[in-house]
Amino acid sequence: MCKAIALAVALVTLVSLPALAGETVRVGVLKFGTVNWELTTIKRHGLDSKNGIELEVLPLASGQAAKVALQAGEVDIIVSDWLWVSRQRAEGKPYTFVPFSSSVGALMVPADSDIHSLADLKGKKIAVAGGPLDKSWLLLRGLTQRRHGFDPAEESEPVFGAPPLLAKKAEQGEVDAVLNYWHYSARLEAKGFRRVIGANEAAMALGAKGPISAIGYVFDEGWAAQKTAAVRGFVQASRDAKELLRSSDAEWETLREMTKAKDDATLIALRDRFREGIPSRPLSEEMADTAEVYSFLAELGGDKLVGESKTMAPGTFWPVLVNGS
């Protein structure tokens, strides 16, 4: 009888213990970056634990700080682009990439602007976020040269600066057009600005067959080989969150404060452009297009952009995801 009671007590104790936590995955992101919208959705719905992991989000001050944190082993995953990953791999550092979003910058102008195509940029003052080697800027330059025979870097007046400052200059009429990151472009769209062309449209005009991801989750391939189940769990949690954000307008209401949308028009523009960027193409097709765009950018941006690697390094996209194994 005593043994039976002891066994019963042990079973009750075992059942009452909390479930063992999954593998912790540390993701370092910009404190106010749009990736937080997805990560917050993961945590709110417990999508990390449902997929066997424990997501830990570590806010960082800048993209460079994120890269330093990844290289130092302070975080497991950051958000960056395939250009950086390929360059790192070419230098012997085995980072790899999982697509996050194809939402990219767009060339925006006031509704009454006389700029209707890239041909109209000659002699205009263009605000450009990200600097002279920004992918979107290089793509627009390349397409303008191919279609209209001039380089906006030489025959227009580019002005480089921080995204919030450039958005403000556009609103105040201090520039003729602005090429900014996607969420700043969406906010301008909500205020009546007109979209001339997006960077993905430029990429497709230059040979890509569909949209390609501008940014993705980046991690060390060696770490991922040891933690494959955890990385798979994180990727699935990301997909689950994207599906919620794609299908539910109510989810966006819960994110309203985080997005800093001051009105419905802004929230809707951010929601719709985010949804537009959710990857949906077969990865093999996206990889092929990315490699083609990489070669084009390498030619235009040179060593300052890609180093000595003129073609996208093998393994830039996470091989496990590519092979489906």
Side-chain angles (χ1 to χ4, degrees), residues 295-319:
S295 297
F296 174 83
L297 292 174
E299 181 180 345
L300 199 57
D303 292 351
K304 289 183 179 179
L305 182 67
V306 298
E308 297 180 0
S309 180
K310 304 307 179 188
T311 57
M312 191 170 74
T316 294
F317 284 70
W318 189 35

Side-chain angles (χ1 to χ4, degrees), residues 274-289:
F274 181 97
R275 287 173 171 173
E276 186 180 87
I278 294 175
S280 59
R281 303 175 65 203
L283 190 58
S284 59
E285 294 179 11
E286 186 169 346
M287 283 177 56
D289 282 343

Side-chain angles (χ1 to χ4, degrees), residues 16-17 58 61 73 144 158 196-197 205 227 244 275 303:
S16 64
L17 286 174
L58 297 147
T144 305
V196 177
I197 189 172
K227 308 285 187 181
L244 277 172
R275 287 173 171 173
D303 292 351

Side-chain angles (χ1 to χ4, degrees), residues 14-128:
L14 182 61
V15 170
S16 64
L17 286 174
L20 292 176
E23 185 84 44
T24 297
V25 176
R26 303 168 299 166
V27 182
V29 291
L30 298 183
K31 187 173 182 180
F32 300 109
T34 59
V35 179
N36 286 288
W37 305 348
E38 175 173 295
L39 300 179
T40 296
T41 302
I42 290 174
K43 294 300 290 184
R44 178 183 293 116
H45 291 278
L47 300 176
D48 51 348
S49 59
K50 289 178 183 177
N51 285 286
I53 62 169
E54 178 65 31
L55 174 63
E56 182 180 345
V57 181
L58 297 147
L60 298 167
S62 67
Q64 186 56 38
K67 292 169 184 174
V68 171
L70 179 66
Q71 292 166 329
E74 295 172 0
V75 297
D76 303 314
I77 298 174
I78 64 169
V79 174
S80 189
D81 63 21
W82 34 264
L83 278 171
W84 185 78
V85 171
S86 180
R87 183 166 186 165
Q88 295 300 304
R89 291 188 74 87
E91 295 173 359
K93 301 165 188 173
Y95 296 117
T96 193
F97 174 97
V98 170
F100 169 76
S101 174
S102 64
S103 291
V104 286
L107 185 69
M108 307 294 296
V109 297
D112 60 354
S113 170
D114 60 356
I115 298 173
H116 296 279
S117 75
L118 296 175
D120 301 323
L121 292 179
K122 187 176 288 189
K124 302 295 187 180
K125 191 172 186 178
I126 311 168
V128 180

Side-chain angles (χ1 to χ4, degrees), residues 145-166:
Q145 290 177 62
R146 180 175 295 185
R147 283 186 173 176
H148 307 294
F150 73 95
D151 185 350
E154 298 175 359
E155 297 191 52
S156 302
E157 185 184 347
V159 178
F160 304 102
L165 175 63
L166 298 184

Side-chain angles (χ1 to χ4, degrees), residues 203-204 207-211 281 289 292:
M204 287 186 276
K209 295 178 176 61
R281 303 175 65 203
D289 282 343
E292 184 163 339

